[in-house]
Amino acid sequence: MNLISNGESKALEALFNRHYKSLCQFCVVYTKDYEAAEEIIADLFIKIWDGRLGEPILNVKAYLFAAARNLSLNHLQKKKAPVTSIEELPETHLFQDLNTPFRILSGRESSTEILRLIDRLPDRQREILLMSRIDQMDKQKIAAVLAISVRTVETTLYQSLRELRRMLNDSPNVNLGH
């Protein structure tokens, strides 16, 4: 961030390359539109560049995810589209890499069914589960991004995993290998 503050465009490019894909995937959870997510993240990096002379950013990753979340929610407000379903997420973007957490999670299960079940979780549980398992953010970072306590993150993550396991066991469409 010091290099960016000093006008080093290569530093911004390196930051962009490091976080662009995961930020886009994070935004898709809210927008359900990969193109909109790409625009939101591009705008975020433009704002970082434009604001480089302002307040220094101390925790870059937490800042990026918090800003991406806020920009996604702003985008939805403009569209008046509620965040209620991740069922229609484009699998081509979520599962591009062979080793994404979703690919590992859905080893024997149908990814569509997993997404459908995750979609049934309460909003906060779904959000924390996706941040933890897809974006592989630790509990402290999730707490910082969402402005909640680490204990709340732990409790919510536990509840979401317990509920997802229950739904997986009850779902006739998922083969758990039993």
Side-chain angles (χ1 to χ4, degrees):
M1 289 311 299
N2 288 338
L3 293 173
I4 291 172
S5 295
N6 293 333
E8 294 286 336
S9 61
K10 291 285 185 195
L12 181 70
E13 185 179 340
L15 185 67
F16 178 87
N17 290 335
R18 180 177 301 146
H19 295 289
Y20 178 76
K21 185 176 179 183
S22 62
L23 286 168
C24 284
Q25 289 176 336
F26 179 72
C27 283
V28 168
V29 170
Y30 295 97
T31 64
K32 295 181 258 169
D33 179 350
Y34 200 82
E35 288 178 17
E38 288 178 320
E39 281 184 41
I40 289 167
I41 299 308
D43 288 344
L44 171 59
F45 280 95
I46 290 169
K47 287 178 184 183
I48 289 172
W49 183 253
D50 290 345
R52 69 187 176 274
L53 300 176
E55 278 294 308
I57 298 169
L58 302 176
N59 185 338
V60 177
K61 189 169 183 178
Y63 173 85
L64 289 172
F65 278 92
R69 177 179 178 262
N70 292 337
L71 291 170
S72 295
L73 292 174
N74 290 346
H75 172 79
L76 290 174
Q77 277 297 95
K78 289 176 188 168
K79 286 181 58 177
K80 301 272 187 219
V83 180
T84 57
S85 174
I86 61 169
E87 197 167 71
E88 293 128 24
L89 290 177
E91 288 183 38
T92 56
H93 294 295
L94 263 183
F95 300 106
Q96 280 180 335
D97 292 342
L98 291 176
N99 294 321
T100 63
F102 258 105
R103 171 114 14 230
I104 294 165
L105 173 68
S106 63
R108 288 171 287 183
E109 298 84 13
S110 156
S111 59
T112 302
E113 182 66 12
I114 295 286
L115 287 173
R116 188 185 68 72
L117 293 174
I118 290 172
D119 182 48
R120 291 175 38 200
L121 292 171
D123 290 345
R124 183 61 93 175
Q125 286 184 11
R126 180 177 64 234
E127 180 178 40
I128 290 174
L129 178 67
L130 293 173
M131 290 172 84
S132 172
R133 296 307 192 252
I134 291 181
D135 297 319
Q136 297 189 330
M137 294 174 70
D138 64 35
K139 293 171 189 154
Q140 289 77 17
K141 288 181 184 169
I142 295 171
V145 167
L146 299 177
I148 58 176
S149 72
V150 173
R151 182 70 180 137
T152 301
V153 171
E154 291 171 345
T155 302
T156 307
L157 186 57
Y158 170 78
Q159 292 168 341
S160 64
L161 290 171
R162 184 183 64 202
E163 181 62 17
L164 184 59
R165 278 189 207 100
R166 186 196 62 73
M167 289 188 298
L168 284 167
N169 286 331
D170 293 347
S171 176
N173 300 328
V174 179
N175 176 13
L176 294 174
H178 290 48

